[in-house]
Amino acid sequence: MAVDTSKYPAVQGKNLILFARKLSEAKTKRGMPVPYQTSIDFEPQRDKKTDATKDGYVSKSSPLQTDLKLEFVNNWSEIADKLQMSLFNGDKMEFWIVNYQRRNSEGKAFAYYMRGTVSEDETDGDPDDVSNRKTTISVEGDPVPGWTALSEEDEQMLAYVFYGVGEVGETAKNDGTDGGGTPWKAGDAGTGTPYDPSATPNDSTLKNQ
């Protein structure tokens, strides 16, 4: 049976964008996209171990572990500097892998939310090329899927629990709805609408959701 590509479009790598924010600044700052991204590696994995017993083999799973790596052209944006400071100072960060292409009925984008610290930040400086950064993040706990509102500014830049990328405000609810987020539900599996810029609610509408 042929796949309905209009209903389930293939995910384009260019539409997966990493946003980040220093956790301690969640009350006042929005999550920021890291400029000039070239690659994201998102690798959740769960190892299985098999023990031999007198009654046969017993299989058990280890806790979920997630590897997150980002490559981008080196720059001195605020968020690029804060990623490096996370390595130097141990600052805990928030991260969103946003699928800019996949939207729900409210126009929010599908994303994975996670927290962690930068464990490695490699910079190259070849004389005949731009400098590149390879950043490795140690993720704490499990990534959480959900839907996040994007501001008009976010939309413009990208066109060139679960937390949304918006600022949390004075009181965090910690229930997956802070910052314009909508928690993932079992019924969300397989759903989504390809992004249509002309049909996306404006910034003021998103801020009220």
Side-chain angles (χ1 to χ4, degrees), residues 17-80:
I17 308 295
L18 187 77
F19 282 67
R21 175 174 64 194
K22 188 176 176 180
L23 180 59
S24 63
E25 297 177 339
K27 288 183 178 181
T28 57
K29 286 185 176 289
R30 295 182 57 79
M32 293 173 276
V34 181
Y36 307 123
Q37 296 176 38
T38 56
S39 176
I40 298 173
D41 289 332
F42 176 55
E43 302 176 6
Q45 53 191 300
R46 192 187 301 275
D47 293 333
K48 287 192 175 182
K49 181 179 179 181
T50 302
D51 293 334
T53 72
K54 295 179 180 180
D55 298 310
Y57 289 94
V58 176
S59 179
K60 55 185 179 183
S61 297
S62 63
L64 187 70
Q65 295 181 320
T66 302
D67 294 331
L68 178 60
K69 297 179 181 180
L70 172 69
E71 295 187 23
F72 60 99
V73 175
N74 198 8
N75 63 86
W76 56 69
S77 66
E78 178 182 354
I79 193 59

Side-chain angles (χ1 to χ4, degrees), residues 66-110:
T66 302
D67 294 331
L68 178 60
K69 297 179 181 180
L70 172 69
E71 295 187 23
F72 60 99
V73 175
N74 198 8
N75 63 86
W76 56 69
S77 66
E78 178 182 354
I79 193 59
D81 284 347
K82 287 181 177 177
L83 287 174
Q84 199 164 64
M85 292 305 103
S86 174
L87 174 63
F88 295 158
N89 303 327
D91 299 328
K92 187 175 290 187
M93 305 285 292
E94 297 178 287
F95 300 95
W96 299 259
I97 298 178
V98 177
N99 185 339
Y100 177 67
Q101 180 184 19
R102 183 180 180 182
R103 304 300 176 107
N104 67 4
S105 59
E106 298 175 331
K108 295 180 179 180
F110 176 76

Side-chain angles (χ1 to χ4, degrees), residues 148-198:
T148 184
L150 298 174
S151 70
E152 185 175 357
E153 182 180 3
D154 293 333
E155 298 282 10
Q156 290 174 348
M157 284 191 295
L158 294 176
Y160 160 94
V161 222
F162 177 83
Y163 282 90
V165 302
E167 64 273 14
V168 169
E170 288 300 319
T171 304
K173 299 188 287 296
N174 294 313
D175 62 356
T177 61
D178 290 306
T182 298
W184 179 263
K185 304 183 298 296
D188 286 344
T191 66
T193 303
Y195 174 56
D196 178 1
S198 64

